[in-house]
Amino acid sequence: MSRQQQQQTQGVVLTGYHSNAELLPKTDPCAPSCPSARDHESAVSSRRTGHYTIQQNQNAQHEDRYGPAATTSISKASSIDPSSLSNPNSAASLRSQLSSSPKPDSSPRHSPNSRSRPQPACQRCNSQDSLEELEMDDYWKEVENITHSGGGAGRGEGGGEGEVQEEQQKIPEEGEQEEAWLTEAGLARLFDGSLATDQDQEEDSAVFLSTLTRTQAAAVERRVTSLQQTLRRRNRQHVPDVRDIFRPPEKVEEHSKLKGGSENGQKDVTSAEAETELNVEVAFSEQALTYRENHQRSKVTTSPNSPDDKLPNFKLLRDKTGQTRIGDLSPLDMKKVHRLVLVEMTALFDTAGIDLKAHKAVKVKTKESGLFGVPLATLLDQDQRRAPGTKVPFILQRLISHIEEDGLDTEGLLRIPGAATRVKSLCQELESSFYDGMFPWQQLKQHDAASLLKMFIRELPHPLLTVEYLSAFISVNKLPTKKQQLQALNLLVLLLPEPNRDTLKALVEFFQRVIDHQAKNKMTLNNVSVVMAPNIFMFKGFRSKVTEQQEFSMATTTANIVRLLIRYQNLLWTIPKFILTQVRQQNMESQRKQNKERAVKKLLKKITTDKLSDKAVPEESSQGFIRVQAPQFSKVSMAVQLTAELQAADVLTRFLSQDSSVAVKREELCLYEIGGNIKERCLDGETYMKDLIQLNPTAEWVIRAVQR
């Protein structure tokens, strides 16, 4: 049977990709378990050259985990833009090459280091700092395990008509990316003429643009300019000229400097700043611009696996107004955060000269119920009907808790796979009996549970890091410093949809608990990162969409991203102060406009329209006291003396000491900042009240149970 006939037998139509697979010796068809075939393939693989062997899949029923689930034209589902995975400057040439060259078989590939060689029985990496000392064997072994699992359960396991199909995505056409970006940033009126007459949209955009920093404004201006040029080429309707939207660059810079020391908090960035300190008062893109200007002549030569690739003990600069974590703000303010973070993230990559190629998710047919291969939103919807407020799918919570009960000391946890046939059977049993409470958890082995957990992640029909932002996560490694990489990850985590962000948080917290037991389970930070990287980044159809060279280069890249997510999780799930400052500015500007409108409608004198707010500073605050409300409890309010050392935690302690009838646990209570220049904010216990009142003098202070 010819090669083409073999491919058609496997149910794959191959188009448009170039590979060096044709240079490899052909092997006779043989099942994956055939020793002679595997030995021969191993003999021609080369880790150094990136020429990997191609393993033929002889049975369409035993599909590649990353191959098509049925007879599919791969050209129908566009691939990840290769430029987002390797060299951003070679996008055009790569697209040309990919569109004109033949595509190899998308059957499972052996790892580039599948050559058998003797190794110590338990050779693990003890370094937590550098991937240079880490053998990437575990990564490629994990890829092979995934491949040989045939895609696991959740695919063809009782799915019927709702069976999960391969995740599909496409690269936006010219101009679509800019339109989508501006729309997500809430700036659609800058290109959509039908919104030009919408007064509310215009005012909202004006308020938003007025709070942007120099680099953020430049990022918006760059997208508007690019879109204008595209629309002019299409001879479409007139759109506002970018010069009508933005001030000249020098004025924008001056405007930014004027606001820098006060409202925007954009203070001057000095190169003498300690490398381990994270300044969250100055926009990350502004700090990156200063870094670039100070290092114009120096070229970054460090790579993810260089000896200098250490993980510093980063710490946040102390902020007396308190740290703000995801979940502390109201949904209205979080919408403002998302818009600002999108612009800031883009500005940060722009400053480093990295062109992000966003991808557009295409709707695919997915299972409407079940556990594996079900969209996160669907899973949470069915779980929330059983327990309102659920943030992480029950099945993932249960797998994690089972492993933690008595399995964290298991040697090789997450690295050693469970038996494929047994895991497949367990998955079917979970699908049928999980919600009935009949699954025999006491019989579930730890390695099988870990395999089910990894299968759950990679079987998601949409990548956990989302189609839209996956390439941005991968591009983080291109940023010149660890500090900038951490800052970019912070912004990307904030951009993730809430179900994805909460699920990712549950996972990295679990990974850290596994690492805490490394003395017994031999799983260090590097080991866990290397094993989990392919499960998080290799979504359905991934390996059929990238070349062997790209897959090889992505190994350490993706492992490093997972390593950063685990190592700095306590910093990544926070909202930078400069973003919160911009949210406060927007709220103040909106209040000012609303007050002016009310004043005009009521025919009040002009002097009343110049006030920032109709609400006066509480009299008690001016006399050194604050009034704290507690409407949910018997003691509905109390006066607290304001001192320089008074913290939010002290207010809660005083309240609990005066109201013994409170049945809520201390950790379930929070002091909220409500009104003024913020909608609502749960305060960090170390917030200094006097400093916060100076920032928001008209706010009210309310104690209530945490709403999360």
Side-chain angles (χ1 to χ4, degrees):
M1 182 181 295
S2 68
R3 179 182 176 91
Q4 184 176 1
Q5 288 172 329
Q6 291 176 22
Q7 294 168 349
Q8 292 173 348
T9 301
Q10 295 166 358
V12 180
V13 179
L14 304 171
T15 60
Y17 274 77
H18 175 76
S19 173
N20 57 5
E22 286 72 12
L23 301 177
L24 299 175
K26 285 191 176 182
T27 59
D28 293 331
C30 181
S33 59
C34 178
S36 60
R38 298 189 67 177
D39 291 343
H40 179 71
E41 289 170 347
S42 298
V44 296
S45 64
S46 171
R47 182 175 181 179
R48 293 194 179 101
T49 63
H51 289 68
Y52 312 141
T53 57
I54 304 298
Q55 175 185 336
Q56 299 291 339
N57 188 352
Q58 299 306 312
N59 192 337
Q61 295 177 352
H62 301 285
E63 297 153 355
D64 180 3
R65 163 64 186 83
Y66 299 112
T71 300
T72 308
S73 172
I74 294 185
S75 61
K76 191 175 181 180
S78 299
S79 69
I80 292 183
D81 183 3
S83 64
S84 65
L85 305 178
S86 52
N87 183 2
N89 298 322
S90 60
S93 60
L94 276 173
R95 280 195 293 269
S96 174
Q97 180 183 1
L98 293 177
S99 63
S100 60
S101 303
K103 181 176 177 178
D105 191 347
S106 63
S107 312
R109 296 194 283 262
H110 274 306
S111 69
N113 63 339
S114 58
R115 187 193 310 258
S116 59
R117 55 176 178 248
Q119 289 188 3
C122 199
Q123 180 180 355
R124 314 306 313 146
C125 175
N126 295 321
S127 170
Q128 297 299 295
D129 294 328
S130 176
L131 285 174
E132 182 198 34
E133 303 150 16
L134 176 64
E135 288 288 342
M136 293 300 291
D137 289 350
D138 287 347
Y139 181 96
W140 299 112
K141 287 177 183 176
E142 184 67 20
V143 172
E144 286 187 359
N145 291 334
I146 294 171
T147 300
H148 294 155
S149 71
R155 203 163 108 171
E157 304 298 338
E161 294 183 356
E163 181 179 333
V164 177
Q165 295 181 0
E166 178 181 331
E167 164 64 14
Q168 298 187 26
Q169 54 185 327
K170 71 173 185 178
I171 301 174
E173 296 179 1
E174 186 181 22
E176 282 187 351
Q177 181 170 323
E178 288 79 5
E179 287 185 4
W181 189 91
L182 289 167
T183 301
E184 188 176 355
L187 298 172
R189 66 167 294 277
L190 298 184
F191 67 87
D192 190 343
S194 63
L195 299 175
T197 57
D198 190 329
Q199 188 68 20
D200 292 338
Q201 279 272 359
E202 184 176 358
E203 290 181 357
D204 177 73
S205 297
V207 169
F208 180 81
L209 292 171
S210 70
T211 63
L212 298 184
T213 65
R214 169 183 49 169
T215 49
Q216 291 171 352
V220 176
E221 186 173 0
R222 191 173 291 111
R223 270 81 200 161
V224 173
T225 302
S226 176
L227 182 57
Q228 286 176 348
Q229 294 171 351
T230 301
L231 294 180
R232 289 193 186 102
R233 285 195 296 270
R234 294 179 185 173
N235 294 322
R236 283 173 52 170
Q237 72 274 11
H238 172 72
V239 294
D241 191 280
V242 70
R243 289 169 294 185
D244 298 331
I245 301 171
F246 296 95
R247 301 181 181 186
E250 61 274 8
K251 293 185 179 179
V252 172
E253 183 174 354
E254 180 182 355
H255 179 68
S256 175
K257 287 181 179 179
L258 287 174
K259 288 192 171 185
S262 55
E263 294 181 346
N264 253 355
Q266 307 302 323
K267 302 174 183 178
D268 291 336
V269 187
T270 61
S271 57
E273 179 182 333
E275 186 60 25
T276 55
E277 291 183 339
L278 284 180
N279 187 344
V280 292
E281 295 187 5
V282 179
F284 297 155
S285 55
E286 294 288 335
Q287 297 181 46
L289 183 61
T290 302
Y291 173 87
R292 190 186 73 181
E293 292 172 349
N294 292 340
H295 298 78
Q296 281 289 351
R297 296 183 180 180
S298 63
K299 294 183 178 180
V300 179
T301 57
T302 56
S303 62
N305 59 346
S306 68
D308 295 329
D309 181 46
K310 304 299 182 181
L311 295 184
N313 291 319
F314 284 117
K315 62 180 180 179
L316 296 176
L317 291 177
R318 186 177 182 182
D319 178 14
K320 286 197 168 186
T321 60
Q323 188 181 84
T324 305
R325 303 192 67 82
I326 294 174
D328 288 347
L329 298 182
S330 69
L332 286 175
D333 280 340
M334 279 305 295
K335 287 183 179 179
K336 296 183 177 70
V337 168
H338 183 93
R339 295 171 63 187
L340 287 163
V341 167
L342 175 65
V343 175
E344 172 63 17
M345 184 270 292
T346 308
L348 177 59
F349 280 96
D350 282 356
T351 303
I354 300 171
D355 185 19
L356 293 179
K357 296 293 184 183
H359 292 82
K360 186 177 180 181
V362 178
K363 290 184 179 180
V364 293
K365 193 175 183 180
T366 59
K367 291 169 62 177
E368 296 179 356
S369 62
L371 300 175
F372 295 84
V374 180
L376 276 177
T378 303
L379 270 174
L380 287 172
D381 183 59
Q382 65 186 22
D383 289 348
Q384 287 168 355
R385 288 197 292 268
R386 294 174 170 85
T390 301
K391 298 286 189 181
V392 178
F394 284 159
I395 179 61
L396 183 61
Q397 293 185 49
R398 189 65 184 88
L399 287 170
I400 290 175
S401 63
H402 176 78
I403 296 172
E404 291 183 343
E405 284 172 5
D406 54 2
L408 288 177
D409 290 338
T410 304
E411 185 170 337
L413 184 64
L414 294 175
R415 177 175 56 84
I416 299 175
T421 54
R422 188 170 62 240
V423 170
K424 183 176 181 180
S425 176
L426 288 167
C427 192
Q428 292 175 316
E429 193 172 356
L430 275 169
E431 291 278 10
S432 61
S433 61
F434 174 72
Y435 286 114
D436 297 336
M438 303 300 293
F439 183 79
W441 289 98
Q442 68 279 3
Q443 300 177 16
L444 181 61
K445 300 178 184 296
Q446 300 306 319
H447 291 308
D448 291 345
S451 293
L452 287 168
L453 181 145
K454 293 187 290 185
M455 180 185 293
F456 171 83
I457 300 170
R458 65 176 184 266
E459 285 291 328
L460 290 170
H462 305 276
L464 182 61
L465 302 181
T466 74
V467 171
E468 294 82 357
Y469 298 118
L470 190 67
S471 62
F473 273 95
I474 296 173
S475 297
V476 163
N477 246 38
K478 299 176 184 177
L479 292 168
T481 67
K482 274 289 176 285
K483 179 183 288 187
Q484 289 185 30
Q485 292 176 12
L486 181 57
Q487 291 168 338
L489 282 178
N490 184 194
L491 299 172
L492 285 167
V493 166
L494 289 169
L495 286 173
L496 289 175
E498 189 173 351
N500 300 64
R501 190 169 58 220
D502 292 338
T503 301
L504 179 62
K505 182 68 167 119
L507 284 171
V508 295
E509 287 176 344
F510 167 65
F511 297 154
Q512 183 58 56
R513 290 191 289 272
V514 171
I515 294 165
D516 291 341
H517 289 249
Q518 62 182 277
K520 292 186 177 181
N521 62 32
K522 312 300 181 186
M523 295 299 291
T524 65
L525 172 62
N526 283 340
N527 300 142
V528 172
S529 302
V530 164
V531 169
M532 292 309 304
N535 291 282
I536 293 175
F537 283 90
M538 289 186 177
F539 56 91
K540 287 182 177 296
F542 171 85
R543 301 186 76 210
S544 65
K545 297 172 183 292
V546 297
T547 65
E548 289 91 340
Q549 284 283 30
Q550 289 169 343
E551 183 180 10
F552 179 76
S553 66
M554 282 179 60
T556 52
T557 296
T558 55
N560 185 58
I561 300 304
V562 176
R563 190 168 64 130
L564 295 177
L565 287 170
I566 299 172
R567 175 68 173 81
Y568 299 117
Q569 57 185 278
N570 290 333
L571 302 178
L572 297 178
W573 268 258
T574 62
I575 300 173
K577 183 179 180 181
F578 73 90
I579 292 289
L580 189 61
T581 299
Q582 290 179 290
V583 170
R584 291 184 187 275
Q585 283 182 273
Q586 290 183 29
N587 288 335
M588 290 172 62
E589 290 292 331
S590 297
Q591 286 178 15
R592 182 183 289 112
K593 290 180 180 295
Q594 291 173 4
N595 292 337
K596 287 183 178 180
E597 289 175 0
R598 294 193 195 102
V600 171
K601 289 178 181 179
K602 296 178 181 179
L603 299 179
L604 295 177
K605 294 180 180 180
K606 185 179 184 300
I607 189 172
T608 62
T609 68
D610 293 333
K611 297 180 180 178
L612 292 180
S613 174
D614 289 334
K615 186 184 296 184
V617 177
E619 184 178 350
E620 287 178 325
S621 296
S622 61
Q623 296 177 354
F625 289 86
I626 58 171
R627 173 65 57 179
V628 179
Q629 310 291 334
Q632 292 181 344
F633 307 102
S634 58
K635 186 175 181 60
V636 294
S637 70
M638 68 176 185
V640 180
Q641 185 175 5
L642 201 59
T643 65
E645 299 301 319
L646 180 69
Q647 296 182 346
D650 300 329
V651 176
L652 290 175
T653 300
R654 193 167 307 178
F655 171 75
L656 290 172
S657 66
Q658 295 183 16
D659 190 348
S660 58
S661 64
V662 176
V664 182
K665 295 180 180 178
R666 164 67 182 270
E667 56 268 21
E668 295 177 357
L669 287 178
C670 184
L671 176 61
Y672 283 84
E673 170 193 5
I674 299 177
N677 53 36
I678 203 78
K679 299 296 182 184
E680 179 179 294
R681 176 180 172 233
C682 176
L683 298 183
D684 171 24
E686 296 183 356
T687 302
Y688 285 83
M689 297 304 299
K690 191 169 185 178
D691 293 88
L692 183 56
I693 288 173
Q694 292 175 356
L695 181 63
N696 192 5
T698 61
E700 295 180 351
W701 314 100
V702 178
I703 295 176
R704 63 172 185 235
V706 178
Q707 297 176 341
R708 290 179 182 171

